[in-house]
Amino acid sequence: MQVRRFSRPLLSAGLLLIISSPAGLPMGEASTWRWTLPAGVSAPPVPADNPMTAAKVELGRRLFYDADLSVDGTMSCATCHVQKHAFADSTRTRPGVTDEPGRRNVPGLANVAWFTPLNFADPAATTLEMQAATPVFGTHPVEMGMAGREAEIGRRFGRDSCYQTMFARAFPEDGGRIDFSNVARALASFERTLISHGSAWDRQRLGPEAQAGSALFARDCASCHSGSNFTDLTMHRLGPADPALADQGLFEKTGIDADRGKFRTPSLRNIALTGPWWHDGSAWTLDEAIARHGLTHGAADVAQLIAFLGALSDTEFTQRKSLAMPEDACGKRL
């Protein structure tokens, strides 16, 4: 595995700054985290039992890129959540370590700190700490393949002297315990820094076609794709329910017939970078994804909508060094 240093993000007009104390804090020294966000954007909610610290973010960043979280050491969080794709994937669905086909498309993680629920069709996944168990231990389908091997996670990372130091800095209250609970807390802390507010839309720099598309979007799309993250975080079904489909969405969790085919509204931030689209990745173009909503748009309208969606891309976010694979840890190159 290669890893990169925890560093400050690049700065650009209209973009939030994330400022922390420096990495490599002396053992036992408290690390701090301070959010600096655009006007009108509040800091994301953080669980009381997992306050943000720079040491946790630094550890979570290294863990996010570490394939030792998978049973055979071939898959990390970043295998599916790729920075250049706004922490989404470029495939329809991503197979897990056993090559079992994935069921659902990999969502982007921009601004995921504000999302709940976090999965496409599981209302119980309400925090990033809880959600971490789904890819690591899930069996429907198998992703990272660690079901029944939770203790192995502590053993693996506990053999690394640098991880011992990083866990001690991140979790001094429990002696730097190395187990999945603290792995999940560190991953969640890093994921809360995956913040994107530097698109042309954020900076109010829409071209004429995107501006026209913005008006169409407000009229036809914003009832579900609402708010600054363009999602109402509610589960909907487009079109009639089909009990014959392999993926029944929310129904699989609730057993309520009216929930068949319901999936959470996806965020549209960086949407042009996160294709293919739809909960199963079956829409290969934005034109197709728009058409599936059942609205009547001419070619000119669709072009304007796509121009607007393109203006939601934040290329600084996809290149921010503080979110990339670290190059070193504990003063040594990885």
Side-chain angles (χ1 to χ4, degrees):
M1 183 191 84
Q2 295 180 348
V3 207
R4 286 180 201 166
R5 174 177 309 171
F6 183 78
S7 59
R8 295 173 190 244
L10 303 174
L11 311 183
S12 66
L15 179 69
L16 77 165
L17 314 182
I18 302 173
I19 302 175
S20 71
S21 61
L25 294 170
M27 184 71 72
E29 183 177 328
S31 54
T32 59
W33 190 263
R34 179 166 62 88
W35 307 98
T36 303
L37 300 162
V41 178
S42 299
V46 176
D49 63 352
N50 190 29
M52 290 285 290
T53 68
K56 281 183 198 170
V57 172
E58 182 184 19
L59 173 59
R61 179 184 172 196
R62 184 180 175 192
L63 289 167
F64 188 86
Y65 287 94
D66 198 328
D68 272 347
L69 273 175
S70 66
V71 65
D72 60 359
T74 62
M75 179 176 284
S76 68
C77 303
T79 300
C80 299
H81 295 285
V82 183
Q83 185 176 12
K84 70 179 180 180
H85 297 301
F87 294 94
D89 196 12
S90 59
T91 61
R92 179 171 176 171
T93 60
R94 169 71 66 169
V97 293
T98 62
D99 289 329
E100 178 182 355
R103 299 183 74 218
R104 293 173 183 159
N105 184 249
V106 177
L109 298 183
N111 298 346
V112 71
W114 284 272
F115 293 2
T116 185
L118 286 153
N119 291 337
F120 268 125
D122 183 0
T126 57
T127 69
L128 289 165
E129 289 81 359
M130 293 170 60
Q131 194 278 333
T134 299
V136 177
F137 301 119
T139 58
H140 184 54
V142 172
E143 294 183 59
M144 301 173 88
M146 292 298 286
R149 296 178 172 89
E150 184 168 339
E152 175 65 17
I153 291 173
R155 286 193 291 268
R156 286 184 183 185
F157 296 123
R159 291 192 293 260
D160 184 310
S161 61
C162 180
Y163 267 129
Q164 292 172 16
T165 298
M166 295 179 79
F167 273 88
R169 290 171 177 162
F171 301 103
E173 68 280 2
D174 60 16
R177 189 181 70 245
I178 302 177
D179 61 7
F180 183 71
S181 177
N182 280 346
V183 165
R185 290 187 179 102
L187 285 170
S189 295
F190 171 66
E191 288 164 354
R192 290 189 175 101
T193 73
L194 302 179
I195 298 179
S196 175
H197 281 283
S199 70
W201 180 82
D202 291 298
R203 292 179 281 116
Q204 300 182 11
R205 295 181 181 176
L206 299 185
E209 192 166 39
Q211 191 68 52
S214 176
L216 287 170
F217 183 89
R219 184 191 73 189
D220 296 338
C221 314
S223 59
C224 294
H225 292 286
S226 56
S228 65
N229 288 315
F230 304 94
T231 171
D232 61 2
L233 296 171
T234 301
M235 298 187 190
H236 302 279
R237 179 181 63 246
L238 294 178
D242 183 354
L245 292 176
D247 190 346
Q248 290 295 308
L250 182 59
F251 170 81
E252 295 178 3
K253 295 295 182 180
T254 68
I256 299 171
D257 204 57
D259 289 339
R260 289 187 185 276
K262 286 187 176 180
F263 296 91
R264 195 203 69 193
T265 304
S267 170
L268 298 184
R269 282 198 172 271
N270 299 292
I271 190 67
L273 308 176
T274 62
W277 301 273
W278 225 248
H279 67 271
D280 59 357
S282 58
W284 288 98
T285 67
L286 284 172
D287 303 65
E288 181 181 355
I290 291 169
R292 288 192 187 185
H293 287 74
L295 302 172
T296 302
H297 292 111
D301 287 349
V302 171
Q304 290 171 351
L305 281 170
I306 290 176
F308 170 70
L309 295 176
L312 304 182
S313 296
D314 180 357
T315 55
E316 188 279 334
F317 173 67
T318 63
Q319 300 172 41
R320 193 180 304 159
K321 290 183 178 180
S322 65
L323 305 180
M325 183 185 291
E327 293 176 345
D328 57 35
C330 301
K332 297 180 180 179
R333 191 168 184 83
L334 292 165

